[in-house]
Amino acid sequence: TQRCEVLYTDGVLVDYVGDEMFAMWGAPDKSPDLAFRAAYAAKRMMRSRAKLNDRFASILPSPFDFGIGLCTGEVWVGNTGSKQKFKYGPMGQTVNMGSRVQGLTKQWGVAALMDKATASFLPSDLRRRRLSKVSVVGMDKAIDLYELMSDEQADGELIQRYEEALAIFETGQRFREAVKAFGELIQKYPNDGPSMVM
């Protein structure tokens, strides 16, 4: 049996939406380390994914995968249902942003993405990299998008070289140099989705 990593890290499993799971941390009880708890749950899910893929490799047509979106901020929390059907959960821009961030995981070819607020609360041993500044559907401002890296992906050289190539790209003038830097990254890390996107 697999345990629910959301509950294991003191999160609240709010709802299932199709094949998605919607969860929150920091309510009803306040938690100063809610971003860490959410990220830790995500890391544990990524570890479980690897084990499940190994276990069922002989019967799966392709590896099992998923996308996780993490967003930290203020929300309104309470009953969003009715007297007939009680439904406790959060509402607001932070929830909307989390959904949009989760939706970007497929486009970037990664398992877990987060906003800058979430990344800023995490200890250095939870490896992440800033992918780019991105526009998000329905939001006025572009956001800094970060990848929460699995244990297998957390390669220090990959993170450093990606950040160097991104810095070149973000000058807005040295595009050929940026293409060369990302091209070299793809040569060494052919399965790195963010390098391919850039």
Side-chain angles (χ1 to χ4, degrees):
T1 41
Q2 295 288 321
R3 78 174 135 222
C4 177
E5 302 300 357
V6 170
L7 301 180
Y8 179 77
T9 53
D10 294 328
V12 174
L13 180 50
V14 176
D15 204 356
Y16 290 102
V17 184
D19 63 353
E20 295 182 5
M21 184 170 65
F22 176 26
M24 68 176 176
W25 286 259
D29 296 324
K30 287 188 177 180
S31 171
D33 62 347
L34 59 93
F36 171 76
R37 289 176 184 274
Y40 187 56
K43 289 278 285 187
R44 292 180 64 88
M45 287 178 197
M46 287 189 271
R47 284 190 204 114
S48 293
R49 176 192 58 182
K51 289 177 186 173
L52 287 169
N53 278 324
D54 287 345
R55 181 175 173 188
F56 296 107
S58 63
I59 59 172
L60 288 172
S62 59
F64 167 74
D65 209 354
F66 53 71
I68 300 169
L70 302 173
C71 195
T72 302
E74 291 187 359
V75 295
W76 291 277
V77 181
N79 179 25
T80 61
S82 65
K83 287 182 180 178
Q84 288 75 31
K85 186 177 179 186
F86 183 82
K87 184 178 175 186
Y88 179 79
M91 289 175 36
Q93 281 290 85
T94 302
V95 176
N96 296 338
M97 182 66 77
S99 176
R100 304 298 196 284
V101 167
Q102 187 277 330
L104 290 170
T105 57
K106 233 178 220 184
Q107 181 181 331
W108 284 86
V110 299
L113 291 173
M114 57 190 163
D115 66 343
K116 185 176 184 177
T118 304
S120 69
F121 284 112
L122 301 184
S124 59
D125 61 333
L126 278 181
R127 301 301 290 271
R128 68 249 187 209
R129 62 174 160 167
R130 189 172 79 84
L131 298 182
S132 184
K133 192 172 277 292
V134 299
S135 295
V136 182
V137 176
M139 302 294 169
D140 295 334
K141 294 182 180 178
I143 65 163
D144 284 307
L145 191 65
Y146 289 76
E147 177 189 9
L148 177 65
M149 304 179 87
S150 69
D151 296 334
E152 301 80 32
Q153 296 169 310
D155 182 314
E157 183 184 355
L158 169 61
I159 295 169
Q160 181 183 341
R161 289 180 62 183
Y162 184 93
E163 288 174 351
E164 289 168 357
L166 181 62
I168 296 167
F169 172 79
E170 289 183 331
T171 63
Q173 298 171 341
R174 299 158 58 196
F175 291 120
R176 287 187 185 200
E177 196 178 335
V179 168
K180 182 175 183 289
F182 282 116
E184 289 171 357
L185 262 178
I186 292 165
Q187 291 294 316
K188 181 155 188 185
Y189 303 95
N191 297 320
D192 185 49
S195 294
M196 292 291 290
V197 169
M198 294 303 293

